[in-house]
Amino acid sequence: MANDAIMKWSATTTTVIDLTADLTNNSVAGGTTLLDNSTELMPYARATFNNPGTFGAAPTNNSTVNLYAVLQDTDGTSDDTAAPTGSDVESARFMGAFPIYDTDEEQRCSIDIDLMGIQKAYFYIENKTGQTITGSASHIYVKITPYTLTPSA
């Protein structure tokens, strides 16, 4: 139907997190690559967590890997403070949670997040699975693809 909302995807998917080390339970890591949304200004994004490796053992069913962002150039020059370290998310903005199920194998899941007003950000994940996520044998990824809604033709 005319004027129904359709999704318009960005031409760019950014791998915002690429970890090559294990991530222990309750630890935070990331800040690998800047998401630059300053040109397209897309208000939403699809965030995909992928652990192609395994876990130390089967994670707790319905546990999560939490996604956080630290906004950059928020007033034109300065960044939000402070970036997560170790097991502390500091003042990073909670963006969503990837649901994890109780199997010790590759897990890939996607969530839709709100980018409204976010032009640039670094992203971090917090492991709340009850197990170590094995990234040393394979990478742990988070990829983000911004999108908007537009009227159909």
Side-chain angles (χ1 to χ4, degrees):
M1 296 179 103
N3 296 322
D4 285 346
I6 59 170
M7 296 171 85
K8 178 185 173 200
W9 294 92
S10 171
T12 305
T13 295
T14 304
T15 301
V16 294
I17 298 174
D18 182 358
L19 301 178
T20 57
D22 294 349
L23 186 60
T24 59
N25 188 49
N26 294 319
S27 292
V28 181
T32 308
T33 302
L34 180 73
L35 175 71
D36 187 344
N37 188 38
S38 62
T39 302
E40 294 181 306
L41 298 174
M42 299 280 192
Y44 311 106
R46 170 85 30 90
T48 302
F49 167 81
N50 186 19
N51 172 29
T54 61
F55 292 80
T60 304
N61 197 35
N62 295 321
S63 58
T64 61
V65 171
N66 297 326
L67 182 65
Y68 291 88
V70 176
L71 280 55
Q72 305 295 297
D73 300 334
T74 55
D75 65 359
T77 57
S78 300
D79 306 333
D80 278 0
T81 57
T85 59
S87 62
D88 190 348
V89 297
E90 300 286 348
S91 61
R93 180 184 294 191
F94 179 77
M95 301 299 290
F98 299 104
I100 303 298
Y101 55 95
D102 59 347
T103 184
D104 181 21
E105 60 189 19
E106 178 176 6
Q107 294 198 36
R108 182 183 315 100
C109 57
S110 298
I111 57 174
D112 291 307
I113 61 173
D114 184 352
L115 291 181
M116 194 73 66
I118 297 176
Q119 294 188 30
K120 296 178 182 178
Y122 283 105
F123 287 82
Y124 297 82
I125 52 173
E126 177 186 35
N127 179 3
K128 290 295 190 179
T129 66
Q131 296 296 329
T132 295
I133 303 173
T134 306
S136 56
S138 59
H139 296 242
I140 301 166
Y141 297 102
V142 174
K143 295 182 179 185
I144 294 185
T145 308
Y147 67 88
T148 191
L149 300 175
T150 63
S152 63

